[in-house]
Each structure stands twice: as structure tokens, then as C-alpha cells.
């Protein structure tokens, strides 16, 4: 973090390492400007007394990196005339109101358990103070941002400023926006190494995007990989695919499931075979897709014909978000994996695939970047404003937590909290790099060896899913991501479980992780040797991308059970799960080595590699009553 910047010349183009903080001029107060924007937010009272004009030239650093984030390289200034859309997260008037409400409706011991909030109730909880709106409006007016370019969403918690020229964005934020190219994906984006805000706004603004988060829909990390030497079942699963739905609960899982995983393996392993969904008209399961990953309808049909014949009628709608595509000629391994296993476990529950694109928020040409959007924000902005949201949502993508600015991570995490408060169960894969996150070195300038947690798995308001392998018994997959957040403190719902683990751990790995951070994963599921159909061919896939849709399928069945009884869906899962550890298959062997260590080991109770264990549907169903 720095309070000044220098420019560095590289290969003849000026690229930012740190940028000089612009000197902003003292404004002329223009209250009427912001009143025109506030008119769309009827819950905010107008006619407030005009406060003294702040000093807009008193600017303070909001966030900066010490150097260009790893795997990105500066490409110089974007073409003249390039514009972006800025999203501004405003701090709520009642700081803890949303989180307090989330825990009330998610804690089985609370009188409000299951009384999930409406979209309007959530909007009221996250609304900023009217003074915040007026102050931010004055700042924008000072920089001659027209009121027609500003929109307020979801109770005023977020502002979007459209078609901002980079010259204007640099002045607003004391920034120097540049083009950056990802060295592996070759994708280019527009970002700044650092940005600042007037001191008067720091107590009112949580984050601004896009700024210093070097994330994009193509640079997100997949949590699946094709195992080229893994066994496959090209002719389907003759032993298991026609297994009777009346098979006795607890019947042994065939040993062949240690070598190849199919839907029938998972349905037996997690005790869902005997359950027949009763509420397919009221219950839904959502799968998010990024990275131009398209789910193939014809491959799903082929998959079900091979591995779950009775579900052959199943199909899914594709909802396109932010220019997302649906190219059926280019099926993605990740997308096919997610939809094939979510569908085959939850059938006949309707599944929805969200294809989130990267349409740039500025006019593009051959020289401009193809994507400057923030991947999670694009989808979250869309989904929280829908009238109907699937009760269960699975996502199999992530980043190293340290690559995400903390204020940005907190803003995104709070949007997941909004979903939970509305009765949505949000599941994320925990990652495939053990304790190291693929890096093992801090990016704080010291380059010290550290365990690197993943995000959004580290967000305390999602359910992170780790990986297992083998059967009879299951063991931890050695790549299963897990550890402790450096951004989010340990939530109370997991205090007892995590403290118990840390006590047994003793001084092992001391100094490599934050023992006071949110521990993850929360649960786990199978993560190796999944049979997936891509372009009509069966391939073998591994990763916690296998775990997340598997667990989501089980959770969706639990939601079906509750909805069929006229009860509320589960919503945010973690407070319930940590109260019911006996409803999971405890995984007591395996570890996730990395960073020159053995990592963390699985053991009795919760551990930061398999969480509470793998779900047992019938035990969870019984626990729900």
C-alpha cells in the first residue's frame, strides 16, 4: 500500500506500477443534480439540509498493489475514447443489519429460522444513509458526471456510472487505467494498479470496480481437470445405471466406484437412491458458467442414456447474463460436468444454466480489450434482482484470496449473504491446489512462504465443498483446497469445530496460516474419476468442480423435501450443518500437502481439507424432521 506513485517505462510504453494521485479541485455544491437520481429511490427522504461542501482535493489511497499482479503484463494506454462502467458499492446505513438478519433466518435455534427475506426487505437492510447518497452525488457532480449516466440498484447499495471516459475515471479515482494482458489466456483487460477517493468518501464507499481486482471471466481458475490416463466407461455403466430406486438404504457401494464415478455411485454413496422428488414445480437448481464454458444439451442426453436412463427427459434452459453465449458446437468440460451431475442427482428437479459473458462496458474495436467486467459482480448484480431465484446454486470457479482486494472481496461476500438471507443455498468448490493455492508465496511485498486460501470459498456466507476419493471408506483428495482466510474472521457457527481441530493440530504449520480466520471447506464430496460426456465421448475428470455440483444435487433434494412439506428451503446452510455433524460421513484420512509441508490432515470431526465430511441425505433429512 502506498500514498504516492511513480511511472515506469517498459518497452517504449508507459505502464503503471503505482499511479500519481490526481489533485481534485474544490467543487461547487449541486444538490439538485443528485435529487434527480434519488427520485428513483422512493425510500430515501429528500429535502435534507445541505451539508458543508467537502474538500474533494483531500484524497486518500483506497487500495493499491506493490507491483503488477502475477501473470499480468502492462500493454500501455487504451485507445483514446475508451469508456468503462464504474460500479460503486456504498456502505449500508445499518452496518450489521444484513448479517444479523442472515443469521436469524439461518440458525435452527432462532425463532425466525426459515423466515427468509424478500428482495425488498434485503434492499432496505443494505440501503445507505441518505447523506451517503447526497455526498456521492455531489462528488460525481463535481466531476461533471451527468445524472442520466447514474443508476441506483438494490436499495441504493450499488451505483453504476455508465460510459465513463478513462480520463474522467482517472480524475474521479486518482488512478491511471491501463491495458493489461494475461500471460496465459492472452486476454486483455483495463485496470489500475491503485486508486484513491476523497477522504470524505472513505466512510461511505466500500469499493469501486473495475479498479485493482485483476479478475476476468476468462482468468478465473477452473477447479476441474481432464485425467488423460484415467479409466473411462465408454459403453456406459451396465452394473449401476439401472439400479433400482428401491435399493435398501445403506447398501454397500460397489468397489468399482473407487475407479470410476457415475451418478449411480454418488446416489448410493450419499443415500439419495430411495428418494423421489415431490416438488419439481417449485424447486430449482442453478449452475453458473464462466470462461465461455457452454453446457451441451445433446451431451446431456448422451450422458443420461449411458448413466441414468430414467432421467432421459431432463433438459435445462440457458439464461444468458451480460452477453453470455450458448454455443452448442463448443461444449466445455466444466459446464458439461456441472450440468450432467447436478441433473442426474437432482432429477426431476429443474436445473438452470447461467452463461455469464464478458461483454465489455465500453465501445470495443480491434485494439481494445475484450473483457473489462468483474466476473462475480456481473452475475451477482443480475441474480439478486430476479423475482425468482433457484433455491440451490453451485459454482466451480475461484481465485487466490490474496489476488482479490479485500474491500472488493467483502462487497462480493456480502452479496452472497443477500442470497442466503433470501433462502438461497450457495455452494462453491474449495479449489484444487491443496493449501498453496498454486502459489505458496504472499504478494504483500515480502514474497514469504504462506498457505494461500481461495476465494470465494473463504467467504463465510457460502458453503465451500472440498474433495474426496475412493469408497468404503472415502479419503481426502490430496488436491482438495482448504485452509483459513486472511480476510474473514472465524464465524461463530464454526467456533467449536475449528477450535477443536486447531487444538489437535498444535504448533504444526504455525506461521503459515491465520488460525483466527474463517476455516474452509465446510463439507466435501467425491472429486476424482468422474465420467463426463463431451462431444459424445466419455472422458475422466477430477477436481472439486466435481464435488460442488454433487453436493448441490443432494442439497437440492433436501430443499425438495422441505418444500413438498410446505416448509421453507434451507437457505444459508452452514449454521445448520455445524449443528448436525453426525449427518455427514466423517472423513478421517488423507491430507492436502503443499508449500513444502504435509498441509493439513483429515481427522475426526471438522478439518480444513474435507470439512464436516460428505453428506448423508437420509441422515440430513431425518435431522430436518
Amino acid at each position: 500500500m502506498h500514498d504516492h506513485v511513480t511511472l515506469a517505462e517498459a518497452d517504449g510504453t508507459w505502464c503503471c506500477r503505482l499511479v500519481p494521485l490526481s489533485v481534485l479541485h474544490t467543487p461547487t455544491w449541486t444538490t439538485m443534480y443528485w435529487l434527480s437520481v434519488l427520485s428513483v429511490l422512493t425510500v430515501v427522504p429528500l429535502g435534507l439540509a445541505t451539508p458543508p461542501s467537502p474538500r474533494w482535493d483531500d484524497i486518500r489511497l483506497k487500495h493499491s498493489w506493490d507491483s503488477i499482479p502475477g501473470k499480468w503484463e502492462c500493454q500501455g494506454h487504451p485507445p483514446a475514447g475508451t469508456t468503462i462502467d464504474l460500479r460503486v458499492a456504498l456502505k449500508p446505513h445499518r452496518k450489521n443489519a444484513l448479517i444479523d438478519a442472515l443469521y436469524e433466518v439461518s440458525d435452527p435455534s432462532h425463532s425466525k429460522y426459515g423466515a427468509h427475506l424478500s428482495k425488498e426487505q434485503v434492499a432496505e437492510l443494505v440501503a445507505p444513509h441518505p447523506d451517503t447518497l447526497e455526498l456521492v452525488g455531489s462528488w460525481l457532480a463535481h466531476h461533471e458526471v451527468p445524472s442520466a449516466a447514474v443508476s441506483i440498484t438494490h436499495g441504493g447499495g450499488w451505483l453504476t456510472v455508465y460510459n465513463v471516459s478513462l480520463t474522467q475515471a482517472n480524475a474521479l479515482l486518482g488512478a491511471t487505467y491501463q491495458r493489461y494482458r494475461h500471460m496465459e489466456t492472452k486476454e486483455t483487460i483495463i485496470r489500475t494498479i491503485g486508486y484513491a477517493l476523497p477522504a470524505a468518501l472513505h466512510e461511505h464507499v466500500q469499493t469501486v470496480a473495475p479498479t485493482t481486482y485483476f479478475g476476468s471471466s476468462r482468468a478465473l481458475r477452473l477447479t476441474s481437470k481432464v485425467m488423460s490416463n484415467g479409466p473411462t466407461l465408454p459403453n456406459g455403466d451396465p452394473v449401476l445405471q439401472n439400479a433400482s430406486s428401491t435399493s435398501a438404504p445403506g447398501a454397500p457401494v460397489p468397489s468399482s466406484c473407487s475407479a470410476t464415478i457415475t451418478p449411480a455411485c454418488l446416489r448410493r454413496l450419499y443415500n439419495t437412491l430411495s428418494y423421489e422428488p415431490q416438488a419439481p414445480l417449485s424447486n430449482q437448481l442453478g449452475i453458473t458458467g464462466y470462461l465461455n464454458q457452454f453446457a451441451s444439451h445433446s451431451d446431456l442426453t448422451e450422458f443420461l442414456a449411458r448413466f441414468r436412463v430414467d432421467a432421459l427427459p431432463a433438459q435445462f434452459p440457458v439464461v444468458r447474463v451480460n452477453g453470455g453465449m450458448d454455443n452448442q458446437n463448443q461444449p466445455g468440460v466444466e459446464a458439461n460436468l456441472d450440468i450432467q451431475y447436478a441433473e442426474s442427482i437432482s432429477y426431476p428437479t429443474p436445473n438452470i444454466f447461467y452463461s455469464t459473458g464478458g461483454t465489455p462496458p465500453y465501445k470495443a474495436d480491434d485494439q481494445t480489450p475484450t473483457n473489462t467486467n468483474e466476473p462475480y459482480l456481473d452475475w451477482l448484480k443480475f441474480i439478486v434482482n430476479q423475482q425468482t431465484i433457484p433455491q440451490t446454486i453451485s459454482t466451480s470457479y475461484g481465485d487466490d484470496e490474496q489476488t482479490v482486494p479485500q474491500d472488493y472481496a467483502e462487497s462480493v461476500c456480502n452479496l452472497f449473504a443477500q442470497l442466503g438471507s433470501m433462502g438461497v443455498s450457495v455452494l462453491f468448490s474449495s479449489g484444487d491446489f491443496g493449501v498453496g493455492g498454486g502459489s505458496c508465496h504472499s504478494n504483500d511485498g515480502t514474497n514469504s512462504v504462506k498457505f494461500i486460501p481461495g476465494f470465494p470459498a473463504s467467504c463465510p456466507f457460502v458453503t465451500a465443498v472440498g474433495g474426496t476419493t475412493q469408497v468404503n471408506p472415502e479419503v481426502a483428495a490430496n488436491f482438495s483446497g482448504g485452509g483459513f482466510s486472511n480476510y474473514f474472521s472465524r464465524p461463530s457457527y464454526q467456533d467449536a469445530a475449528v477450535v477443536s481441530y486447531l487444538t489437535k493440530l498444535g504448533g504444526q504449520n504455525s506461521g503459515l496460516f491465520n488460525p483466527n480466520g474463517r476455516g474452509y471447506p465446510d463439507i466435501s464430496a467425491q472429486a476424482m474419476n468422474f465420467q463426463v460426456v463431451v462431444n459424445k465421448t466419455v472422458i475422466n475428470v477430477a477436481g472439486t468442480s466435481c464435488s460442488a455440483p454433487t453436493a448441490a444435487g443432494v442439497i437440492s433434494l433436501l430443499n425438495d423435501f422441505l418444500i413438498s412439506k410446505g416448509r421453507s428451503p434451507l437457505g444459508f446452510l452452514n449454521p445448520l450443518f455445524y449443528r448436525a455433524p453426525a449427518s455427514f460421513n466423517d472423513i478421517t484420512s488423507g491430507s492436502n500437502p503443499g508449500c513444502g509441508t504435509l498441509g493439513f490432515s483429515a481427522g475426526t470431526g471438522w478439518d480444513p481439507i474435507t470439512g464436516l465430511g460428505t453428506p448423508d441425505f437420509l441422515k440430513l433429512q431425518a435431522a430436518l424432521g
Side-chain angles (χ1 to χ4, degrees):
M1 303 285 285
H2 299 265
D3 58 4
H4 67 282
V5 231
T6 59
L7 290 174
E9 189 173 9
D11 299 326
T13 60
W14 287 101
C15 292
C16 58
R17 306 266 169 113
L18 294 171
V19 236
L21 304 181
S22 304
V23 177
L24 306 181
H25 301 289
T26 303
T28 300
W29 187 262
T30 52
T31 302
M32 291 307 296
Y33 160 91
W34 194 238
L35 295 185
S36 66
V37 180
L38 287 179
S39 63
V40 302
L41 187 63
T42 58
V43 298
V44 177
L46 303 182
L48 297 171
T50 301
S53 179
R55 285 187 55 200
W56 299 125
D57 61 343
D58 180 15
I59 59 176
R60 310 286 175 83
L61 186 70
K62 184 67 173 170
H63 181 262
S64 74
W65 298 115
D66 291 280
S67 59
I68 298 173
K71 298 184 180 179
W72 293 94
E73 56 186 2
C74 186
Q75 298 287 298
H77 293 291
T82 298
T83 66
I84 58 176
D85 294 345
L86 289 177
R87 293 177 182 146
V88 183
L90 303 180
K91 295 182 180 180
H93 176 34
R94 294 181 287 169
K95 180 178 180 181
N96 298 316
L98 171 66
I99 306 308
D100 290 345
L102 171 67
Y103 282 126
E104 288 176 354
V105 301
S106 307
D107 183 350
S109 66
H110 199 280
S111 61
K112 293 185 178 180
Y113 179 63
H116 299 120
L117 308 182
S118 66
K119 182 175 72 171
E120 292 72 24
Q121 289 172 316
V122 171
E124 184 177 349
L125 292 178
V126 301
H129 192 282
D131 289 351
T132 295
L133 291 166
E134 190 145 355
L135 191 64
V136 172
S138 175
W139 169 59
L140 293 174
H142 169 71
H143 287 278
E144 300 180 348
V145 175
S147 60
V150 183
S151 71
I152 304 176
T153 59
H154 209 46
W158 285 81
L159 304 181
T160 301
V161 187
Y162 296 99
N163 298 317
V164 181
S165 71
L166 292 188
T167 299
Q168 193 173 42
N170 288 336
L172 279 164
L173 302 172
T176 299
Y177 279 93
Q178 302 274 3
R179 293 178 64 201
Y180 293 88
R181 183 175 65 178
H182 195 273
M183 297 177 188
E184 294 178 356
T185 69
K186 306 305 180 185
E187 181 181 17
T188 53
I189 62 175
I190 291 179
R191 294 295 188 271
T192 177
I193 292 294
Y195 78 104
L197 290 171
L201 293 182
H202 275 246
E203 293 184 0
H204 300 270
V205 174
Q206 174 71 24
T207 193
V208 181
T211 51
T212 56
Y213 173 36
F214 280 61
S216 67
S217 58
R218 285 175 58 190
L220 283 176
R221 179 178 293 157
L222 285 169
T223 53
S224 65
K225 52 185 176 291
V226 176
M227 301 180 68
S228 57
N229 296 322
T232 60
L233 297 171
N235 298 316
D237 189 357
V239 175
L240 298 175
Q241 70 175 348
N242 294 312
S244 171
S245 62
T246 60
S247 295
V253 179
S255 59
S256 61
C257 292
S258 283
T260 52
I261 287 291
T262 65
C265 289
L266 298 172
R267 296 174 70 208
R268 285 199 178 187
L269 192 59
Y270 302 138
N271 267 335
T272 68
L273 261 177
S274 61
Y275 182 76
E276 296 185 8
Q278 302 297 310
L281 299 180
S282 304
N283 187 36
Q284 295 179 326
L285 194 165
I287 300 292
T288 63
Y290 301 95
L291 299 169
N292 287 327
Q293 283 275 326
F294 309 119
S296 167
H297 296 279
S298 60
D299 280 346
L300 174 62
T301 298
E302 182 75 17
F303 175 83
L304 295 175
R306 294 171 182 263
F307 299 113
R308 190 174 174 187
V309 175
D310 64 304
L312 261 176
Q315 271 305 331
F316 57 94
V318 176
V319 176
R320 303 183 188 187
V321 180
N322 192 44
M325 304 296 288
D326 182 24
N327 188 343
Q328 290 295 301
N329 295 319
Q330 294 182 0
V333 174
E334 178 70 53
N336 275 10
L337 160 68
D338 290 349
I339 201 69
Q340 288 172 14
Y341 278 86
E343 284 271 18
S344 60
I345 294 172
S346 65
Y347 178 80
T349 302
N351 284 213
I352 300 172
F353 186 84
Y354 294 94
S355 177
T356 302
T359 301
Y362 55 89
K363 294 181 180 178
D365 60 27
D366 291 342
Q367 301 302 314
T368 56
T370 58
N371 180 4
T372 66
N373 285 346
E374 307 278 7
Y376 298 121
L377 281 185
D378 295 331
W379 181 79
L380 282 164
K381 180 183 177 184
F382 168 82
I383 200 70
V384 298
N385 285 296
Q386 300 305 298
Q387 289 298 327
T388 302
I389 304 174
Q391 292 87 345
T392 312
I393 294 176
S394 175
T395 301
S396 297
Y397 302 82
D399 280 317
D400 288 349
E401 185 185 70
Q402 67 175 2
T403 68
V404 184
Q406 185 166 354
D407 57 356
Y408 179 94
E410 290 171 351
S411 296
V412 169
C413 191
N414 286 338
L415 287 170
F416 290 127
Q418 290 186 30
L419 288 174
S421 70
M422 291 188 284
V424 180
S425 302
V426 181
L427 293 86
F428 269 87
S429 55
S430 71
D432 292 351
F433 293 89
V435 294
S439 168
C440 291
H441 289 89
S442 66
N443 65 351
D444 59 2
T446 66
N447 200 39
S448 56
V449 175
K450 295 284 185 181
F451 291 171
I452 306 299
F455 179 82
S458 65
C459 169
F461 310 129
V462 306
T463 299
V465 188
T468 64
T469 186
Q470 301 182 29
V471 298
N472 305 322
E474 294 181 84
V475 301
N478 63 9
F479 53 76
S480 181
F484 300 85
S485 174
N486 291 318
Y487 288 174
F488 302 101
S489 59
R490 184 169 63 242
S492 59
Y493 61 73
Q494 64 171 193
D495 262 339
V498 173
V499 169
S500 175
Y501 179 83
L502 292 174
T503 300
K504 290 181 286 188
L505 186 66
Q508 184 179 339
N509 299 325
S510 178
L512 295 176
F513 68 96
N514 173 23
N516 298 313
R518 181 274 207 267
Y520 77 98
D522 301 294
I523 61 174
S524 52
Q526 285 282 314
M528 289 189 69
N529 299 313
F530 274 52
Q531 305 297 288
V532 178
V533 173
V534 180
N535 283 322
K536 302 296 190 296
T537 300
V538 178
I539 61 174
N540 187 304
V541 180
T544 53
S545 280
C546 303
S547 313
T550 296
V554 176
I555 301 307
S556 186
L557 294 179
L558 290 169
N559 277 329
D560 176 275
F561 167 71
L562 292 172
I563 293 170
S564 70
K565 303 297 183 184
R567 297 163 61 183
S568 299
L570 290 169
F572 177 40
L573 300 167
N574 296 359
L576 168 68
F577 283 1
Y578 281 86
R579 283 176 169 267
S583 299
F584 295 84
N585 306 306
D586 195 9
I587 310 302
T588 59
S589 62
S591 63
N592 56 354
C595 306
T597 75
L598 296 177
F600 296 114
S601 296
T604 303
W606 180 89
D607 54 69
I609 176 171
T610 62
L612 297 167
T614 58
D616 186 313
F617 173 81
L618 294 179
K619 289 181 180 178
L620 284 164
Q621 184 184 33
L624 293 172

